[in-house]
Amino acid sequence: MLNKFNPSSKSFKNTFCVFNEAEIKTVESLIPNYKSESGSQYFYTEAGMYRLSNHWGRLANSKWRLVAFEPESGSKTKLGFAKWDGFYLDNNFEKLYYLEANFNNKTINYQHKNNPDFDNNPVLRNTLETAKRIKQARNILTLTSWAKYFSNQNIDELREKIINELIYTNKNLEEIKRNYHE
């Protein structure tokens, strides 16, 4: 089956997008509209784009993340789908990003302010500030060495409090920790 919908390749430069994993069989009858040098295949439909790839994250001049199936499949190559209205302009200097935490799954991710779920409560940051905060939040979430000075507190509750302050305030990490230190 030939895909007739074909946007300009420049449409995807400097964009942020979250793709949701889809079954690979979805594109088995389609011919890729584009194949990258790294082997990724792109399938354009009127609804959005499918991307078949073994790598996700920062891609040249874009930030594309894949939300994988739960439980995650063992295959390294995954198919992701994103609607056209899910591609947001990206740059390094504007305050476009915010963090969101899922304490049940123990994950921290960043989202774009144009995401329809954005409620104006998390602090918006530029790319560099976001990268710094996400690294700090992931360390708080996954490491325990930082907690040795908080011996009388429940580490999971403390993690949640500290990470929420990283998300919802402009306080630096040391200032946040000091507020919880006995």
Side-chain angles (χ1 to χ4, degrees), residues 98-153:
Y98 67 96
L99 298 185
E100 66 178 10
N102 182 324
F103 295 106
N104 294 329
N105 293 345
K106 296 189 184 242
T107 58
I108 308 285
N109 278 306
Y110 64 97
Q111 292 288 354
H112 196 281
K113 72 176 185 175
N114 291 342
N115 174 338
D117 295 332
F118 180 56
D119 63 7
N120 288 309
N121 288 322
V123 174
L124 291 173
R125 296 180 172 81
N126 66 27
T127 299
L128 185 61
E129 294 166 338
T130 301
K132 180 179 178 182
R133 286 276 172 148
I134 203 165
K135 182 177 180 181
Q136 291 172 334
R138 285 179 176 162
N139 284 342
I140 295 295
L141 192 60
T142 59
L143 302 176
T144 57
S145 57
W146 63 270
K148 63 185 173 185
Y149 302 107
F150 303 92
S151 58
N152 294 335
Q153 297 189 38

Side-chain angles (χ1 to χ4, degrees), residues 17-104:
C17 189
V18 177
F19 287 72
N20 290 297
E21 188 170 4
E23 296 286 341
I24 291 178
K25 65 183 177 185
T26 308
V27 296
E28 285 177 347
S29 64
L30 300 177
I31 298 168
N33 294 85
Y34 178 75
K35 289 183 183 181
S36 70
E37 290 179 21
S38 62
S40 298
Q41 297 179 32
Y42 299 83
F43 304 86
Y44 307 145
T45 70
E46 288 191 38
M49 175 200 300
Y50 287 97
R51 179 174 186 262
L52 183 64
S53 183
N54 64 1
H55 58 282
W56 294 85
R58 287 191 73 93
L59 310 163
N61 51 25
S62 296
K63 299 174 184 101
W64 292 357
R65 181 172 60 243
L66 177 70
V67 176
F69 288 141
E70 292 278 337
E72 197 167 332
S73 69
S75 173
K76 187 170 177 161
T77 299
K78 299 189 185 303
L79 179 69
F81 177 77
K83 291 183 179 182
W84 293 124
D85 63 1
F87 288 84
Y88 307 124
L89 290 179
D90 172 55
N91 62 56
N92 289 331
F93 53 88
E94 284 183 84
K95 294 183 178 193
L96 299 173
Y97 296 104
Y98 67 96
L99 298 185
E100 66 178 10
N102 182 324
F103 295 106
N104 294 329

